[in-house]
Amino acid sequence: MPLAPPRHWRRLLLLPPIMLGVLTLVLMVRGREPPALVEPTEPVRAARVVEASLVALAPTAQGYGSVRPERVWAAVSQVAGRVVWIHPRLREGEIHAAGGELLRIDPVDYELLLAQARAELADLEVQRGNAEALLVIERRNLELAEAALVRNQRLIRQGTTSQSVVDDSERALLASRAEVRRLDNTLALIPAQQALLEAKARRAERDLAHTRITAPFELRVADLAVEAEQYVGVGQRLFVGDMVERMEIEAQVPLAALRRLFLDRPAIEVDVTRLGELVESVTGVEARVRLDLGNHVAEWRAEFVRFDDTVDPRTRTMGVVVAVDRPFDKIRPGYRPPLSKNMFVEVVLRGRPAGEQLVVPRLAVRDGAVLVADAEDRLRRRPVEVRYTQGELSVIAAGLEPGARVVVSDLVPVVEGMRLAVEPDERLRRMLRAQAVQP
């Protein structure tokens, strides 16, 4: 049987792997570079900035409201009768010119009343002539009766006539006086009778005129409630006519927005009867009406008319009434539709620029301060006084100088004096310039 190798030879077999591992470790240590020394550096944060600039900003106020006609006329029947004629275009939505006849009620009854009143006036005139002629005769009879009575009284004193003759003469005199008095009374009553008959005739003429319904102004028909051959009574509403020459919009405008229109304006003596004129002259307000059509906004020039008499306590808004003249003459198919009743529109009031204002983006003002980048591109916090905000702009009254680089990025955390990598925000600058109105 073969002999086993000695035990110490087995131990020598472990030496080559160990020596190989030591050699590998030595080579790795020799090839490694020592750690490099790094100088400590200050962190830099990227920040978008926009310069605070002076612009002539026109103060504006916006509100929303519904369109309504300045005047609404309800056609009410003032006489009773059958409707014998209706205008072929008397339909809801149709427009009619001022003075045009729209509807006619049967006039026959009123024509007869007028003819009767005129006939009675003619008869009264004949009665007047007869009474005047009879009065002349009766006055002559009265003179003769008075002379006969005097003569008979003289004869009775002479004893040449009887008392009965004197009595007959006196009776004839009294009868003649009574007839003269009656004729005088008849003639005295004729003017009153004439006035009564003339009033009756005028009323008949008026009723006859009311059988024709005409448009008092250019109007658009609404709420039609009558048909041809229909009987209508006195006081019955026939239809409604909306004025088309002038439309009004009562928009609810926030009080804070209205305040902007009156800042930096001279004090005035308020005449409440001319308040609308004073607002226009002092603020130079220019009103616009806008209608959103999806991919297009239709616009009309408007006139400031008046303030409403109440303030809504829930929304803190006041009603402002503006008017648009001849809106149907300003139609542009596809771009500007008819300004019709009940349209919901935006009203924009724009005043005159009150000098140059220092403006910054509204989003840059946080907790009454703005963040700016100083000349060394370090972050500084500047407390500011905001005069008012408008759209995406804030007007700065104090605490900031023109040309300051205002930070508009959201920096978290905000560390006073931190280093910034400043980048001008051109898109925001163009947007601010577009909102600002140059004089």
Side-chain angles (χ1 to χ4, degrees):
M1 84 183 266
L3 295 177
R7 186 176 297 274
H8 64 276
W9 286 108
R10 292 179 180 178
R11 294 176 180 174
L12 291 176
L13 292 176
L14 298 174
L15 291 177
I18 293 174
M19 293 179 64
L20 181 61
V22 171
L23 180 61
T24 302
L25 181 61
V26 171
L27 292 176
M28 289 178 63
V29 171
R30 286 182 178 180
R32 182 178 178 182
E33 295 182 359
L37 297 178
V38 178
E39 294 291 335
T41 59
E42 184 179 2
V44 179
R45 297 288 301 277
R48 292 178 293 108
V49 298
V50 64
E51 286 190 1
S53 56
L54 290 170
V55 296
L57 184 65
T60 61
Q62 294 89 12
Y64 294 87
S66 297
V67 178
R68 67 188 185 194
E70 184 189 51
R71 294 175 60 190
V72 177
W73 174 65
V76 176
S77 175
Q78 295 179 270
V79 295
R82 181 173 55 91
V83 177
V84 295
W85 180 82
I86 288 183
H87 195 286
R89 291 193 301 106
L90 187 62
R91 298 186 295 266
E92 293 186 1
E94 292 283 357
I95 297 176
H96 293 266
E101 185 177 0
L102 305 177
L103 182 144
R104 190 181 308 153
I105 298 172
D106 190 356
V108 173
D109 292 341
Y110 306 101
E111 290 173 347
L112 293 175
L113 289 175
L114 179 59
Q116 180 182 352
R118 288 174 176 172
E120 291 176 350
L121 278 171
D123 179 66
L124 184 63
E125 194 62 31
V126 172
Q127 293 180 27
R128 183 204 301 270
N130 292 337
E132 289 175 348
L134 289 174
L135 182 59
V136 172
I137 296 172
E138 287 302 324
R139 282 177 176 169
R140 178 59 182 160
N141 286 337
L142 179 59
E143 293 175 358
L144 294 175
E146 289 175 346
L149 179 60
V150 171
R151 183 172 56 252
N152 290 330
Q153 286 175 346
R154 186 174 60 250
L155 292 174
I156 197 172
R157 286 195 298 270
Q158 295 175 357
T160 59
T161 187
S162 64
Q163 183 62 39
S164 61
V165 174
V166 175
D167 292 342
D168 290 341
S169 299
E170 186 174 0
R171 189 178 296 109
L173 175 62
L174 293 176
S176 182
R177 286 178 177 173
E179 185 63 18
V180 169
R181 176 63 62 86
R182 185 186 68 80
L183 292 173
D184 282 337
N185 292 338
T186 299
L187 290 173
L189 289 175
I190 283 180
Q193 294 174 345
Q194 183 179 9
L196 180 62
L197 291 176
E198 288 176 348
K200 184 178 178 180
R202 285 195 298 270
R203 179 170 182 177
E205 289 176 348
R206 189 164 176 262
D207 288 342
L208 185 59
H210 288 160
T211 61
R212 297 174 180 268
I213 308 297
T214 57
F217 46 77
E218 189 174 9
L219 56 81
R220 193 174 194 180
V221 179
D223 299 336
L224 183 64
V226 67
E227 296 290 342
E229 302 302 324
Q230 177 182 339
Y231 181 86
V232 296
V234 177
Q236 180 176 338
R237 193 172 78 168
L238 309 176
F239 58 90
V240 172
D242 298 329
M243 173 182 273
V244 299
E245 295 180 0
R246 188 173 171 91
M247 306 296 284
E248 287 188 347
I249 302 97
E250 181 179 344
Q252 296 297 318
V253 181
L255 293 175
L258 288 174
R259 171 181 172 269
R260 295 196 292 261
L261 300 176
F262 295 92
L263 290 174
D264 299 323
R265 305 299 177 185
I268 59 173
E269 294 183 3
V270 177
D271 181 358
V272 293
T273 62
R274 299 175 53 249
L275 186 57
E277 300 175 18
L278 293 174
V279 170
E280 285 190 318
S281 62
V282 172
T283 66
V285 64
E286 177 185 291
R288 299 270 180 170
V289 175
R290 294 176 178 171
L291 175 64
D292 190 355
L293 299 175
N295 59 350
H296 175 71
V297 176
E299 188 172 280
W300 294 262
R301 291 182 63 90
E303 173 191 349
F304 176 86
V305 178
R306 63 184 181 276
F307 289 112
D308 197 6
D309 60 340
T310 58
V311 175
D312 191 330
R314 295 173 300 173
T315 59
R316 295 180 61 82
T317 58
M318 173 176 280
V320 174
V321 180
V322 301
V324 177
D325 289 325
R326 307 295 303 175
F328 285 84
D329 293 347
K330 302 171 183 177
I331 296 174
R332 291 178 57 198
Y335 294 94
R336 187 186 293 148
L339 193 61
S340 302
K341 182 172 63 176
N342 294 331
M343 274 186 175
F344 191 72
V345 296
E346 179 188 15
V347 173
V348 179
L349 302 177
R350 177 175 162 185
R352 285 192 299 262
E356 290 189 328
Q357 309 275 355
L358 183 63
V359 297
V360 298
R362 185 175 183 175
L363 58 85
V365 182
R366 303 178 181 91
D367 299 327
V370 297
L371 302 177
V372 299
D374 64 9
E376 298 178 356
D377 291 342
R378 294 189 178 275
L379 185 67
R380 304 298 178 190
R381 186 177 184 274
R382 300 280 180 82
V384 294
E385 178 184 343
V386 178
R387 187 170 184 79
Y388 63 86
T389 59
Q390 178 172 297
E392 300 299 324
L393 301 178
S394 288
V395 178
I396 305 301
L400 198 66
E401 64 280 354
R405 295 180 297 171
V406 178
V407 178
V408 295
S409 298
D410 289 329
L411 300 178
V412 180
V414 175
V415 179
E416 182 80 12
M418 65 187 297
R419 195 68 175 269
L420 301 175
V422 174
E423 179 184 357
D425 192 328
E426 292 298 326
R427 184 189 65 82
L428 185 57
R429 185 186 67 84
R430 289 193 299 269
M431 184 190 70
L432 295 181
R433 286 289 180 178
Q435 292 192 18
V437 178
Q438 302 297 332

